[in-house]
Amino acid sequence: MVGRGVGYGKIIFFGEHFVVHGAPAIAAGISNAAVVEVKRSEKNAISSEHKIVPEYSLKAIANVLAVMGVKGCYDVSLKGDLHTFGGLGSSAAFCVALARAVADDQGKNPTDAEINSIAYEGEKVFHGNPSGIDNLMATYGGVMEFKRGKNVSENRYERIVIKKPLDLVVSFTGKFGFTTKMIENVRRYKEQDESEFAQMMDEYGDVELNGRKALEKGKLEDIGKLMNANQSMLQELGVSDELNDQIVKLAMDSGAMGSKLTGGGGGGCCISLVKDKVHAEELSRVLEKSGFQSFATRVGKY
Ligand code: MEV
């Protein structure tokens, strides 16, 4: 028997990195997904059409099986159309898809809340100190505001109803982002000047608050401006590298309403907000021509 499961990718409108330090963030699920198939086996193994780090994946498989109380081993195959280049929550989507596939094989029917917390144990292997936002989005999709608690059981999340679906372009810098390293850079930044970091957290708090209101009211221009403000802070933190900055500039010069990195940064992906689907396709082509693999996506249609 083969067990099968799915976990979705995500983009972050506001708050990557700040969310690790306790600020609220707003993310949206995308339709690109990790699809996992599992077959019982003598030992754990992983194969994929995507670029993966097998050691991490094997460790994540072991963690997920342990927390699910499963004794046996699995041959795991990762498929789907969610690229693993960093920023789109692919590791969390893998863990969610894996937990669902194993449950499917075992004839169990865990709740989404259970899947979310199982996946978090796998996600730790990839990100060390993840906030939990990626596994949340991979499990539930939609648009959510998430705030990390002192421990997982104190995490808070709330579904946000946005006024209208939003068209975005997702672009890959061409460089795989290492979220763990970026989280570490931010921690160092914070340690070097606690009061400066606290001030930035305050400023970010306003961006998030106004960002939520703008999303709920469908105010595209405001959303774009606030995304740009968030991007400036990520630059200041040192997690937006040259390639992220290049995409943001290109997108803004080509009429995007806002553009920022999404996820860990240090490469990985950027998102650019545009006024409609036609513009999304156009901008996607412009960015592709400049050498950045891109695709148009729409969020908030749930
Ligand atoms: C990764 O998608 C977002 C980060 O804030 C890490 C995390 O929240 O776990 C960089």
Side-chain angles (χ1 to χ4, degrees):
M1 145 124 190
V2 175
R4 197 167 180 279
V6 177
Y8 288 90
K10 63 95 193 49
I11 56 96
I12 296 185
F13 277 115
F14 304 108
E16 49 276 277
H17 290 291
F18 294 98
V19 70
V20 173
H21 299 274
I26 300 178
I30 57 174
S31 60
N32 298 64
V35 178
V36 165
E37 284 178 0
V38 296
K39 218 163 73 191
R40 290 186 202 197
S41 168
E42 294 285 289
K43 63 179 175 80
N44 290 332
I46 170 95
S47 63
S48 181
E49 296 159 353
H50 297 291
K51 187 171 165 170
I52 56 163
V53 185
E55 309 87 89
Y56 286 5
S57 305
L58 286 170
K59 183 99 206 324
I61 293 168
N63 279 15
V64 164
L65 293 179
V67 72
M68 289 179 84
V70 171
K71 294 274 179 316
C73 293
Y74 281 98
D75 211 336
V76 176
S77 154
L78 167 65
K79 299 174 181 170
D81 62 353
L82 180 64
H83 300 288
T84 54
F85 16 68
L88 301 180
S90 56
S91 55
F94 166 67
C95 294
V96 166
L98 174 68
R100 286 187 171 141
V102 171
D104 183 32
D105 176 68
Q106 300 266 326
K108 290 184 184 151
N109 199 10
T111 61
D112 282 343
E114 284 163 342
I115 291 291
N116 185 27
S117 50
I118 294 164
Y120 183 73
E121 294 308 311
E123 176 69 343
K124 279 183 188 164
V125 174
F126 296 95
H127 289 174
N129 179 26
S131 63
I133 192 169
D134 286 10
N135 44 284
L136 178 82
M137 299 314 299
T139 306
Y140 294 96
V143 183
M144 296 266 203
E145 183 182 65
F146 171 87
K147 192 172 189 309
R148 179 180 211 174
K150 284 202 185 71
N151 53 55
V152 183
S153 65
E154 287 182 19
N155 288 352
R156 292 285 165 264
Y157 55 88
E158 192 185 343
R159 220 173 250 296
I160 296 182
V161 180
I162 67 173
K163 185 152 180 179
K164 53 184 177 192
L166 298 174
D167 289 293
L168 296 163
V169 178
V170 178
S171 309
F172 175 41
T173 54
K175 181 175 156 194
F176 288 79
F178 285 101
T179 302
T180 314
K181 188 165 163 249
M182 293 300 119
I183 290 179
E184 187 51 27
N185 288 358
V186 176
R187 195 186 57 76
R188 250 187 266 126
Y189 180 102
K190 181 183 173 195
E191 270 176 17
Q192 268 161 23
D193 196 335
E194 292 275 351
S195 73
E196 164 116 20
F197 187 76
Q199 195 185 325
M200 210 196 280
M201 284 286 274
D202 271 0
E203 284 165 22
Y204 165 72
D206 289 341
V207 166
E208 196 274 341
L209 200 68
N210 292 322
R212 177 171 176 158
K213 286 185 195 151
L215 283 166
E216 285 170 337
K217 292 185 179 151
K219 293 196 164 174
L220 283 193
E221 276 185 21
D222 291 356
I223 300 167
K225 279 187 198 146
L226 291 161
M227 284 168 66
N228 291 341
N230 193 167
Q231 169 64 12
S232 301
M233 293 174 182
L234 294 164
Q235 282 170 333
E236 171 63 29
L237 284 176
V239 292
S240 183
D241 81 355
E242 270 168 37
L243 294 163
N244 295 112
D245 293 349
Q246 255 183 50
I247 292 178
V248 168
K249 180 162 186 332
L250 255 167
M252 292 310 292
D253 288 350
S254 311
M257 311 184 82
S259 186
K260 63 183 277 293
L261 68 84
T262 183
C269 291
C270 291
I271 49 166
S272 306
L273 178 70
V274 288
K275 63 176 188 306
D276 56 29
K277 199 167 184 305
V278 175
H279 191 191
E281 299 293 350
E282 266 170 34
L283 180 60
S284 178
R285 278 193 294 275
V286 169
L287 290 163
E288 284 269 349
K289 269 201 194 127
S290 304
F292 299 112
Q293 199 179 330
S294 298
F295 62 91
T297 189
R298 178 169 262 202
V299 301
K301 58 183 179 228
Y302 311 94

